[in-house]
Amino acid sequence: MKVDHFEQQKLLELAAEDVALTQLAHRRRTLPEVAAVEAAEETERELSADVVRAETEVKDLGREVRRLESDVDTVRQRAAKDQQRLDSGSATPKEMTNLQHELESLGRRQADLEDQQLELMERLEAAEATLTAAQQGLVEAREARERAEQLRDEALADIADGTGRHESARAAVAGGISAPLLSLYDRIRSQTGTTGAAMLQARACQGCRLELYGNQLAAVRNADPHEVLRCENCGRILVRTAESGL
């Protein structure tokens, strides 16, 4: 294929835009701001689970404390009733003995229930403190996630802006390249994953960085200036310039 030498040099502009687009795509895939959002979301999920667990424990302990309060109140009422009957003097001696024994038993039962109640109230207080800390942590985690999302969105917007500019520039350059040459370039570009052309500089292909020697160098040196040449190593179109060292 023969194409005007100066038209071939436009491929270097096209390649520069493709390099920029490739770099932007890579940045988009490896954006640290995206990883930061994912980490913040994971932290928020963990703290949200902590809040749920703490809320459940507080509810369970609160329910148990109320049950014990009810039990203590029942024992107190029973003791008060027995004491009232004992004080009334209406009970028989045997009934009085039984009432006294029951009052002693109720006293021990009340003391035991109150000890349990105190222990549960201490556990409830600790659980409430844990819940408060988890809730505060969740608030902070949400704020951190929102900040991370904002930074991510700003970075993505910057990438999108850069991509749009380079795509427009690429289209403008491509418009000045003949269809056969552009088709060849794009085919090679799809194969390399980066660019379809590279400058021959100081007798080295700038695509694969390998220097030309012997017969290959002689072939390039003697080729028609308008002949479309390709690197034998990477397959890219070799664009000759004043820096080619031929």
Side-chain angles (χ1 to χ4, degrees):
M1 178 188 295
K2 288 188 178 182
V3 177
D4 183 82
H5 177 65
F6 293 105
E7 182 179 337
Q8 290 188 46
Q9 291 187 355
K10 292 180 181 179
L11 293 177
L12 298 179
E13 298 178 50
L14 195 65
E17 295 301 332
D18 285 336
V19 167
L21 288 168
T22 299
Q23 291 172 339
L24 285 167
H26 176 73
R27 183 186 169 199
R28 173 66 180 82
R29 291 191 301 272
T30 61
L31 200 63
E33 287 83 353
V34 172
V37 169
E38 293 173 352
E41 289 174 341
E42 178 61 25
T43 298
E44 185 178 356
R45 283 192 293 270
E46 291 174 355
L47 286 169
S48 180
D50 289 344
V51 168
V52 171
R53 283 192 293 270
E55 286 176 339
T56 300
E57 185 174 8
V58 166
K59 289 178 182 177
D60 290 344
L61 288 172
R63 184 166 53 249
E64 192 65 16
V65 167
R66 289 190 295 274
R67 183 187 66 78
L68 284 174
E69 287 176 346
S70 177
D71 290 348
V72 169
D73 188 55
T74 298
V75 170
R76 285 174 178 167
Q77 291 178 10
R78 179 64 179 271
K81 183 178 179 181
D82 286 353
Q83 188 64 50
Q84 183 179 17
R85 187 177 179 194
L86 195 62
D87 293 341
S88 69
S90 61
T92 64
K94 184 177 180 180
E95 289 175 335
M96 291 179 64
T97 299
N98 290 337
L99 287 171
Q100 289 172 342
H101 288 163
E102 186 172 271
L103 283 170
E104 292 174 359
S105 177
L106 290 171
R108 290 191 297 271
R109 175 60 176 163
Q110 181 176 334
D112 181 56
L113 289 173
E114 288 175 342
D115 286 344
Q116 293 180 46
Q117 185 180 11
L118 179 60
E119 179 186 352
L120 280 175
M121 290 178 69
E122 291 174 349
R123 289 173 57 191
L124 177 59
E125 183 178 355
E128 288 173 338
T130 298
L131 174 59
T132 298
Q135 289 172 331
Q136 180 60 35
L138 181 57
V139 169
E140 294 172 357
R142 284 173 177 163
E143 292 173 349
R145 187 253 305 158
E146 290 170 357
R147 288 194 299 271
E149 288 177 339
Q150 181 178 356
L151 292 174
R152 177 204 60 192
D153 292 344
E154 290 173 355
L156 289 174
D158 181 61
I159 292 173
D161 179 65
T163 299
R165 286 187 286 103
H166 285 291
E167 285 177 343
S168 296
R170 186 187 193 281
V173 174
I177 300 174
S178 60
L181 182 61
L182 183 61
S183 177
L184 175 62
Y185 173 92
D186 285 336
R187 185 167 70 251
I188 298 170
R189 179 195 177 206
S190 68
Q191 293 168 353
T192 64
T194 52
T195 62
M199 179 190 293
L200 178 62
Q201 186 178 38
R203 295 182 294 181
C205 171
Q206 296 305 299
C208 59
R209 302 294 178 177
L210 294 182
E211 188 173 347
L212 277 61
Y213 290 99
N215 294 335
Q216 185 182 10
L217 177 60
V220 171
R221 182 179 288 145
N222 297 324
D224 186 312
H226 305 305
E227 185 73 29
V228 176
L229 304 178
R230 295 180 63 177
C231 175
E232 291 184 3
N233 182 62
C234 67
R236 290 181 175 86
I237 298 171
L238 279 175
V239 181
R240 289 161 287 175
T241 72
E243 301 178 32
S244 293
L246 300 174

